[in-house]
Amino acid sequence: MIAASLIFVLFTVAGILISERVQTSEIAAEEGADVAEVGAHNGRVLRDGDFAVELAIFERGVPPEYRVWVTNKGKPLDPQLVDITVQLTRLGGKKERVGFEPDQDFLRGNTVIREPHSFVVMLEARYQGKKYQWEYESFEGRTRIEPEIAESMGITTAVAGPAILRETTKVYGRLVVDPVRIREVRARFDGTVDSVRVELGERVSRGQPIIGINSNENLKTYTINSPIEGVVLERNANPGEQTDGRNLIVIADDGALLAELEVFPATRSRIQRGDTVWLRPRGTEKIVEGVIRQIDPVIRPNQSSTIRVSLQAPAEGLASGMFVAGNIQVAEYQVALAVKRSALQSYRDFTVVYAQVGDQYEVRMLELGREGGEWVEVLGGLEPGTRYVSENSYVIKADIEKSGAAHHH
């Protein structure tokens, strides 16, 4: 409930403070502005007297490309008679030039128009010795947020670049006392139990007297001391009983815990001794690092095997029997380009991040590869060195959606 209230407050503040936005569609316009004319091919119509050009992005069955239809006095012109060039200026000032060649009754652009289709468009046409020129904004998935507002909204950025991906697999199990730190106390010489000086669950120190035995050999009483520091797990003796070679007291070092985890064949084949494991005890937010110490060679009827994990730090606040969830590192990759998983958002049919240039933010459609830990490999759609929103990117998404982001051409 608290988290939901916080998100509501953030969006409310964003709605109040983010007052300056970049137009997100070449057709959508601010109130009172001229609405762009749409032509027969769902493109933008540009006019100069009787001469008119319709520019549209065509992407049905082909990679996105520009197509142009030209008319004069309302009648279609032979595309062979018109020379068209388009220059696109993207966020950050990068320019792309598009040339055109006649194709049937239109001119086809010679460059794939990559996503996002967000840029300043400058079109130049030459017909019968006369030059025509237009320039307009065609933005999508873009917004502007003042730096102070971005800071107050917790918007954090990072620079896209190489990263080490650590692939993990999920496993479950419980904590147990390390068996090498358990001591079973027996009488060296059988006899009668004279006294028991500890109770079940009591903590004892190394060398502390715990039980007295009256020996059958010399009828003298001798004392057995605790061999380790730990907790009494079992008390199997009471005064007056015979020892009979049995376990009288069992003491365990409860600070020496192992995790016993179940793994199945697909995971078992990918792990080995020495692999790193991150454990989260149930009901806590604590992360405990460990290392695989043993892989049980026996496969159980349910096809699982037990692996035993040594904890790398003292088991403060932990206890034997606690259930744990673990992540085992099964692979490590160095990739040339990656972004943080926390940066990813959905936009139309794409997974995206939001690039930052100054006080402007714009969508970047990604082709993703492998995932590992907090990182996701980027195969396409983002240039190395791009600054992107790594935390609270949902604020940018919400502002773009509130602005009416569209995808018209």
Side-chain angles (χ1 to χ4, degrees), residues 111-184:
T111 301
V112 173
I113 310 302
R114 59 183 176 84
E115 297 278 6
H117 299 159
S118 182
F119 23 63
V120 174
V121 180
M122 186 177 73
L123 185 148
E124 183 179 291
R126 293 181 182 273
Y127 173 62
Q128 292 186 343
K130 185 175 180 181
K131 177 181 174 182
Y132 302 86
Q133 193 173 66
W134 298 268
E135 182 174 300
Y136 63 93
E137 294 177 347
S138 175
F139 297 153
E140 68 164 342
R142 187 189 292 195
T143 191
R144 176 180 283 117
I145 301 177
E146 297 296 334
E148 317 83 68
I149 299 174
E151 182 179 358
S152 70
M153 299 300 295
I155 295 171
T156 304
T157 62
V159 176
I164 297 175
L165 274 62
R166 295 179 173 88
E167 184 182 347
T168 61
T169 185
K170 199 82 169 178
V171 289
Y172 299 90
R174 63 189 183 96
L175 298 178
V176 298
V177 175
D178 188 341
V180 303
R181 298 295 296 163
I182 296 176
R183 297 293 182 269
E184 297 175 342

Side-chain angles (χ1 to χ4, degrees), residues 23-30 33-36 44 137 403-406 408:
Q23 184 181 350
T24 57
S25 166
E26 65 206 71
I27 291 181
E30 299 292 342
D34 293 334
V35 176
R44 180 156 185 159
E137 294 177 347
S403 303
H408 302 296

Side-chain angles (χ1 to χ4, degrees), residues 51-52 68-72 75-84 101-107 126-128:
F51 185 79
V68 171
W69 292 263
V70 186
T71 61
N72 189 39
K75 295 182 179 180
L77 286 178
D78 183 346
Q80 302 266 6
L81 304 177
V82 186
D83 184 22
I84 299 284
E101 296 293 335
D103 187 338
Q104 303 178 54
D105 64 340
F106 61 89
L107 292 114
R126 293 181 182 273
Y127 173 62
Q128 292 186 343

